[in-house]
Amino acid sequence: MVAKKKTAKKKVAKKKVAKKKVAKKKVAKKKVAKKKVAKKKVAKKKVAKKKVAKKKVAKKKVAKKKVTKKKVAKKKVAKKKVAKKKTKRKPNAAFMKPLTPSADLAAVIGSAAVPRTMAIKKIWDYIKKHDLQDSKNRRNINADAKLKPLFKKATVSMFDLAKILNLNLS
């Protein structure tokens, strides 16, 4: 309400100033006697307040459930099973079959018949003992005088070792 009154007063004041300027210009041009400026009264507008109807909240009726007693079943006591004794894992028979190495492979691991797993282990022991792993790329193995006829290359990837051994074991 107060803000509306202030804006209404400002509008009235502006109109008065504008009329005075117009009146002064007319007086200066025509040099006529001063005219009285009629004051306009600004009618205040009444703002009707809106009435908000309150909504009634309907209460929900909750149906009561009948509680029925459940029959409690007797729990059967489970008999404890006796744990079996753990046995060592048996290796695959195919891996443990003794194979005879070729002449080139025999120069490195020996001429006795050995399983495939032991042949790989002996090759790695030889490589580590003689420091044949490449210093920059540890995946590569540098061949020495004994491994050169076996590998048929100067360097071999460690992933190719199993392939080479497979060719030289029978």
Side-chain angles (χ1 to χ4, degrees):
M1 289 292 282
V2 176
K4 289 182 181 180
K5 285 181 182 179
K6 285 183 180 179
T7 54
K9 285 182 181 179
K10 285 181 183 178
K11 287 180 182 178
V12 172
K14 284 182 182 178
K15 286 181 181 179
K16 285 182 182 178
V17 172
K19 286 185 179 181
K20 284 182 181 178
K21 286 181 182 178
V22 173
K24 284 181 182 178
K25 286 180 182 177
K26 287 180 180 178
V27 170
K29 288 181 182 177
K30 296 180 183 178
K31 295 184 181 179
V32 181
K34 292 181 182 178
K35 295 181 180 178
K36 290 185 180 179
V37 179
K39 291 183 182 179
K40 289 186 178 177
K41 290 185 181 178
V42 179
K44 292 181 184 177
K45 293 182 180 177
K46 291 184 181 179
V47 180
K49 290 184 181 179
K50 293 181 181 177
K51 292 184 180 179
V52 180
K54 291 183 181 178
K55 293 181 182 177
K56 292 184 180 179
V57 179
K59 292 183 181 178
K60 292 181 182 177
K61 293 183 180 179
V62 180
K64 291 184 180 178
K65 293 181 182 177
K66 292 182 181 179
V67 180
T68 57
K69 291 184 181 179
K70 293 182 180 178
K71 293 181 182 178
V72 180
K74 291 182 182 178
K75 293 183 181 178
K76 293 181 181 178
V77 179
K79 293 180 183 178
K80 292 183 181 178
K81 293 182 181 178
V82 179
K84 293 181 182 179
K85 291 181 183 178
K86 291 185 179 179
T87 56
K88 282 192 173 182
R89 204 182 97 203
K90 292 181 182 176
N92 190 343
F95 286 126
M96 298 313 293
K97 182 182 174 186
L99 301 168
T100 54
S102 67
D104 295 332
L105 185 59
V108 180
I109 65 167
S111 60
V114 289
R116 183 174 273 113
T117 54
M118 286 303 293
I120 291 173
K121 188 172 183 177
K122 286 184 178 182
I123 285 261
W124 271 109
D125 289 341
Y126 181 84
I127 291 166
K128 288 178 183 174
K129 182 180 176 184
H130 293 89
D131 195 32
L132 297 174
Q133 237 175 327
D134 193 35
S135 59
K136 290 182 181 178
N137 189 355
R138 304 290 289 172
R139 284 184 268 177
N140 289 342
I141 299 160
N142 298 325
D144 66 343
K146 285 186 178 180
L147 291 177
K148 196 123 183 162
L150 186 67
F151 291 165
K152 299 174 182 144
K153 294 180 192 174
T155 59
V156 173
S157 170
M158 68 169 62
F159 304 112
D160 295 332
L161 264 183
K163 235 188 279 181
I164 292 166
L165 280 178
N166 193 32
L167 295 172
N168 288 293
L169 288 171
S170 58

